[in-house]
């Protein structure tokens, strides 16, 4: 059943609509929500939502409970290929839990948050941005480590990153939900504006696995490997030491050794190599730059080391 | 900093006087803050004239950074063009981090140790303000000094989680008395408001004994307000917005401040009124409005 949770006027003959698909079966009371599209240029979640909506409905007798699919929290952003909300300079993931009587953006955030509250699991799917390609990973605030890491392990992602609490992250959807008792896992994978089928299909299998674990799914699921759980200071950030064109052939999700070449920053005018980027550690490469132009400071890679 | 194909990125500073780090003034961090750019240029011009007449106090120094982001202004982008990040959301910065974190770190380092800091800032909602001084309530805000600007209003507000990355917030935490100077609008130049802001900064510098300057416009006795106490008027309908009252105007209870029209047949969808007498503090100024948009803030 399609429900509209946000419905506000735009100036000319149009309404802003945020919709969800509610799929229920059996007597189970558990509710699993899959949300995506907070950032309008991140599209990996589109295929995950499609596959979930398709597979759950095709195998509806295996469901015991409710699956809710929210493919587009920021429909105007998706339509205009923008990360933020058109007409506002704000990142939607910095205004949660929103406000009931605020601006259009704040009211939208408020209604989304209210609608999700009380779910047994919310999965918020992001796909990095235009600049970085990410291995499938779950990011968890250290404050919620105890409850969320065991749940995340069933998703079968490569990497579970338990990060420090930062004040600026208090206005994210995940933080707003987790701090009011609704568990929310943030998935980051792939790259902005593109869809990686392999990663999406793998995450769909992971979601069914987690649903089975939660007692909501009786269908067959694939055995999931639990990935690396990273806590504390075990990630090396490789930032560009100069501006130029970053060339690499590496993909994420591979092990690298200390001193191994990650790529080069080159000067296309002179033909020089400006910087030979090498891994400072033996470790697991889970982020690699996808957009080639770099400024001094631009992130090129992230490597986990034990 | 070098760019791949553009000219080098540089942030320039103008130093006046020598000795104690007394006051610093920071110009645009966003590429659309042309009003703020104009004001900065006027402040530098005035300070150069004052210095030529020996008007900078002995043992006091003033630093003006007219722009932290010439690169975005040159290409008409509000934020850092390569990755869309906002330098004013990167403080105190990190010199080994992302590009805009490095810029913020370099700016912050050059501002370290100043007693007073002023930023010419803009608001994220499109519109115009009565000129005012704004501060975050961190527990370190210096309202007494803020009154030295002689701006009509001084406002304070509770910081949100997101605000901990602002220059103003970090200045306060690191012992600089910080003030954001809001001068009317952002993306176009209003000469009169700019003059008011320039005078306010000079009045402040003179008030703290950093310069010897005879003012050309009398100052106001500032009224201090909590932003939370302003009356806000929002749109119940989206449509074409026709504004009758702008920032600084007096309004009477029940008076129509603006109307929202149907975009196709022109009939009035809504009249925006304030229930009390007051003065318009902020007014939306784009020709179209969204439903629930913030239209006015009124001091009552
Ligand atoms: Zn995202």
């Amino acid at each position: 059943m399609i429900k509209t949770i946000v419905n506000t006027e735009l100036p000319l003959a149009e309404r802003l609509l945020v919709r969800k698909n509610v799929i229920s079966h059996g007597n189970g009371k558990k509710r699993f929500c899959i949300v995506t599209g907070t950032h309008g240029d991140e599209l990996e979640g589109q295929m995950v939502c499609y596959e979930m909506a398709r597979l759950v409905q095709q195998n509806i007798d295996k469901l015991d409970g409710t699956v809710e699919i929210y493919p587009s929290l920021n429909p105007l952003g998706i339509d205009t290929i923008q990360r933020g909300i058109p007409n506002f300079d704000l990142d939607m993931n910095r205004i949660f839990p929103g406000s009931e009587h605020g601006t259009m953006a704040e009211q939208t955030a408020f209604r989304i948050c209210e609608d999700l509250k009380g779910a047994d699991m919310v999965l918020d799917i992001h796909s990095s941005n235009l600049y970085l390609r990410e291995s499938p990973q779950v990011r968890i605030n250290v404050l919620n480590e105890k409850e969320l890491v065991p749940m995340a392990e069933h998703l079968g992602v490569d990497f579970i990153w338990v990060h420090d609490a930062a004040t600026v992250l208090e206005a994210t959807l995940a933080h707003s939900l987790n701090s009011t008792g609704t568990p929310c896992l943030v998935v980051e994978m792939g790259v902005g504006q593109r869809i990686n089928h392999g990663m999406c299909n793998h995450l769909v299998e992971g979601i069914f696995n987690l649903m089975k674990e939660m007692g909501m799914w009786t269908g067959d699921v694939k055995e999931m490997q639990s990935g690396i759980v990273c806590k504390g200071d075990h990630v090396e950030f490789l930032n560009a030491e100069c501006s130029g064109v970053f060339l690499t052939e590496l993909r994420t999700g591979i092990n690298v050794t200390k001193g191994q070449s990650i790529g080069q920053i080159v000067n296309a005018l002179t033909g020089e190599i400006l910087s030979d980027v090498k891994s400072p550690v033996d470790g697991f490469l889970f982020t690699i730059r996808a957009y080639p132009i770099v400024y001094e400071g631009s992130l090129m890679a992230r490597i986990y080391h034990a | 900093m070098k760019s791949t194909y553009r000219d080098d990125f540089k942030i320039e500073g103008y130093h006046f006087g020598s000795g104690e780090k007394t006051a610093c003034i920071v110009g645009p961090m966003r590429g659309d803050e042309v009003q703020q750019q104009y004001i900065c240029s006027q402040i530098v011009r005035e300070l150069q004239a004052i210095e030529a007449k020996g008007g900078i106090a002995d043992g006091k120094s003033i630093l003006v950074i007219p722009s932290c982001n010439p690169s975005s202004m040159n290409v008409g982008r509000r934020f850092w063009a390569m990755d869309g990040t906002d330098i004013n959301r990167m403080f105190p910065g990190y010199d080994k981090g992302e590009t805009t974190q490095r810029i913020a770190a370099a700016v912050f380092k050059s501002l370290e140790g100043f007693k007073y800091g002023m930023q010419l800032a803009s608001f994220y909602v499109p519109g115009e303000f009565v000129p005012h001084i704004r501060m975050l309530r961190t527990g370190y805000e210096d309202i007494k000094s803020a009154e030295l600007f002689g701006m009509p209003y001084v406002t304070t507000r509770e910081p949100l989680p997101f605000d901990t990355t602002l220059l103003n917030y970090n200045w306060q935490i690191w012992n600089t008395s910080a003030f954001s100077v809001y001068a009317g609008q952002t993306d176009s130049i209003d000469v009169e408001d700019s003059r008011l802001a320039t005078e306010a900064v000079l009045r402040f510098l003179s008030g703290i004994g950093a310069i010897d300057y005879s003012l050309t416009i009398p100052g106001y006795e500032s009224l201090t307000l909590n932003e939370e106490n302003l009356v806000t008027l929002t749109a119940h309908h989206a449509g074409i917005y026709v504004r009758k009252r702008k920032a600084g105007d007096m309004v009477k209870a029940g008076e129509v401040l603006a109307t929202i029209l149907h975009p196709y047949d022109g009939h009035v969808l809504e009249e925006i009124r304030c229930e009390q007498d007051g003065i318009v503090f902020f007014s939306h100024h784009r020709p179209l409005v969204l439903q629930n948009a913030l239209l006015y803030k009124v001091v009552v």
Side-chain angles (χ1 to χ4, degrees):
Chain A
M1 190 193 359
I2 310 294
K3 285 192 179 167
T4 301
I5 58 167
V6 174
N7 184 341
T8 52
E9 281 177 18
L10 295 173
L12 274 76
E14 186 186 348
R15 304 189 72 86
L16 166 70
L17 304 169
V18 177
R19 287 179 286 204
K20 66 172 177 180
N21 188 356
V22 182
I23 309 166
S24 288
H25 184 262
N27 301 318
K29 289 281 166 275
K30 291 230 164 115
R31 184 175 159 225
F32 196 112
C33 299
I34 300 161
V35 307
T36 193
T38 315
H39 295 136
D41 59 352
E42 302 180 4
L43 304 176
E44 306 279 6
Q46 297 303 311
M47 182 166 170
V48 177
C49 284
Y50 161 70
E51 284 295 327
M52 288 304 298
R54 184 178 74 85
L55 290 168
V56 171
Q57 289 174 112
Q58 265 175 20
N59 302 282
I60 190 77
D61 55 316
K62 312 263 174 36
L63 176 67
D64 187 22
T66 301
V67 172
E68 298 189 0
I69 295 167
Y70 303 65
S72 170
L73 298 189
N74 175 12
L76 299 179
I78 293 184
D79 189 69
T80 53
I81 326 178
Q82 308 186 36
R83 185 175 177 81
I85 305 175
N87 295 312
F88 294 85
D89 273 331
L90 292 173
D91 179 334
M92 191 175 185
N93 216 14
R94 296 286 180 273
I95 57 171
F96 286 100
S99 112
E100 196 176 357
H101 302 291
T103 59
M104 185 186 86
E106 290 164 340
Q107 288 200 7
T108 302
F110 177 81
R111 299 217 180 106
I112 289 168
C113 233
E114 288 300 301
D115 201 73
L116 289 167
K117 268 184 192 163
D120 298 278
M121 173 52 66
V122 176
L123 205 61
D124 182 13
I125 304 171
H126 289 255
S127 41
S128 180
N129 51 34
L130 193 59
Y131 311 102
L132 301 172
R133 184 172 279 123
E134 300 280 358
S135 276
Q137 59 196 271
V138 174
R139 297 201 184 149
I140 294 172
N141 190 316
V142 67
L143 301 170
N144 311 112
E145 178 188 344
K146 269 209 191 72
E147 316 84 81
L148 296 184
V149 170
M151 304 191 88
E153 285 181 315
H154 298 298
L155 284 173
V157 294
D158 289 353
F159 194 63
I160 297 172
W161 191 357
V162 179
H163 60 81
D164 289 342
T167 322
V168 359
L169 297 179
E170 284 173 14
T172 60
L173 175 63
H175 187 273
S176 302
L177 291 172
N178 281 316
S179 62
T180 52
T182 299
C184 177
L185 291 173
V186 176
V187 176
E188 282 280 356
M189 62 181 203
V191 63
Q193 301 188 7
R194 296 289 180 270
I195 290 178
N196 179 315
H197 293 221
M199 284 184 188
C200 292
N201 287 325
H202 190 72
L203 181 63
V204 168
E205 286 166 0
I207 295 171
F208 280 120
N209 189 48
L210 175 56
M211 283 171 56
K212 183 152 196 167
E213 199 57 41
M214 290 169 66
M216 298 179 65
W217 189 251
T218 59
D220 293 335
V221 294
K222 285 212 181 108
E223 184 85 18
M224 287 287 147
Q225 298 269 342
S226 66
I228 297 164
V229 179
C230 167
K231 300 174 195 181
D233 199 11
H234 290 283
V235 176
E236 283 292 327
F237 288 68
L238 275 62
N239 295 83
E241 62 181 35
C242 59
S243 304
V245 183
F246 176 65
L247 300 177
T248 182
E249 297 216 49
L250 296 187
R251 288 288 178 264
T252 55
I254 58 167
N255 288 309
V256 293
T257 53
K258 186 172 174 175
Q260 183 179 335
S261 176
I262 301 296
Q264 279 106 30
I265 301 175
V266 302
N267 182 330
L269 185 65
T270 62
E272 288 166 280
I273 293 175
L274 301 173
S275 170
D276 198 359
V277 184
K278 290 188 162 47
S279 174
V281 289
D282 289 337
F284 177 69
L285 179 82
F286 66 95
T287 305
I288 187 85
R289 190 169 184 88
Y291 189 76
I293 305 297
V294 292
Y295 256 91
E296 182 184 327
S298 296
L299 186 64
M300 299 175 296
R302 279 188 282 232
I303 301 169
Y304 164 81
H305 58 97
Chain B
M1 184 173 63
K2 295 214 174 298
S3 156
T4 308
Y5 293 118
R6 291 177 62 176
D7 198 358
D8 294 354
F9 176 83
K10 3 178 213 302
I11 296 178
E12 295 174 30
Y14 287 75
H15 294 269
F16 300 93
S18 59
E20 177 206 83
K21 289 181 165 187
T22 306
C24 53
I25 297 148
V26 180
M29 296 202 188
R30 297 165 180 157
D32 60 347
E33 295 173 346
V34 286
Q35 166 96 326
Q36 290 70 18
Q37 194 61 58
Y38 175 70
I39 295 166
C40 262
S41 72
Q42 298 304 302
I43 292 171
V44 170
R45 198 179 74 144
E46 294 285 357
L47 287 174
Q48 284 174 337
I50 291 165
E51 187 169 49
K53 284 191 270 178
I56 310 285
D58 282 346
K60 310 246 179 200
S61 76
I62 301 166
L63 168 65
V64 184
I65 298 178
S67 173
C68 299
N69 193 356
S71 161
S72 295
M73 197 169 281
N74 282 336
V75 293
R77 294 289 187 85
R78 181 163 162 82
F79 298 131
W80 187 250
M82 178 59 77
D83 59 12
T85 56
D86 182 358
I87 297 170
N88 202 24
R89 296 284 181 189
M90 291 293 165
F91 286 91
Y94 177 45
D95 63 1
K96 299 195 169 41
E98 288 273 347
T99 311
T100 45
Q101 289 177 316
R102 292 181 186 212
I103 295 170
V107 169
F108 201 61
K109 192 158 192 290
S110 73
L111 302 174
E112 222 177 301
F114 278 91
K115 207 162 161 207
Y116 299 100
M118 287 154 258
Q119 183 189 0
L120 292 151
S122 68
F123 190 47
Y124 69 89
V125 176
E128 56 175 35
F129 283 105
V130 174
H132 69 286
I133 302 296
R134 176 180 289 200
M135 283 179 293
L136 295 165
R137 280 198 294 277
T138 56
Y140 301 102
E141 71 275 13
D142 182 356
I143 293 172
K144 231 27 287 111
S145 301
E147 291 168 356
L148 293 175
F149 286 92
M151 282 281 219
Y153 298 99
V154 171
T155 70
T156 64
R157 73 182 170 91
E158 225 35 71
L160 300 170
F162 200 26
D163 294 328
T164 54
T165 52
L166 294 173
L167 172 60
N168 191 305
Y169 182 92
N170 284 282
W171 255 342
Q172 290 194 31
I173 300 300
W174 296 86
N175 286 322
T176 291
S177 288
F179 312 99
S180 298
V181 179
Y182 281 79
Q185 42 203 358
T186 302
D187 51 6
S188 62
I189 294 170
D190 178 315
V191 173
E192 209 177 300
D193 279 352
S194 299
R195 186 71 217 152
L196 200 79
T198 306
E199 288 283 327
V201 169
L202 296 172
R203 189 181 296 116
F204 179 87
L205 291 174
S206 156
I208 59 168
I211 61 170
D212 180 10
Y213 179 66
S214 44
L215 294 146
T216 53
I217 314 176
Y220 291 83
E221 191 148 335
S222 309
L223 186 65
T224 302
L225 312 161
N226 282 357
E227 278 185 51
E228 294 84 352
N229 295 343
L230 295 169
V231 171
T232 52
L233 305 176
T234 56
H236 293 100
H237 288 281
I240 292 177
Y241 173 71
V242 180
R243 189 171 70 147
K244 299 198 164 67
R245 289 279 171 251
K246 54 186 189 0
D249 287 351
M250 308 256 276
V251 292
K252 291 264 162 238
E255 180 187 336
V256 176
L257 277 63
T259 49
I260 297 173
L261 306 179
H262 190 282
Y264 289 177
D265 65 24
H267 80 257
V268 175
L269 293 170
E270 189 182 359
E271 291 180 327
I272 309 297
R273 298 167 198 270
C274 183
E275 286 172 14
Q276 291 155 279
D277 291 354
I279 293 169
V280 176
F281 183 79
F282 166 80
S283 109
H284 175 100
H285 73 346
R286 293 221 178 132
L288 295 178
V289 285
L290 301 165
Q291 193 176 18
N292 309 316
L294 171 63
L295 299 179
Y296 286 98
K297 289 193 179 201
V298 184
V299 184
V300 296

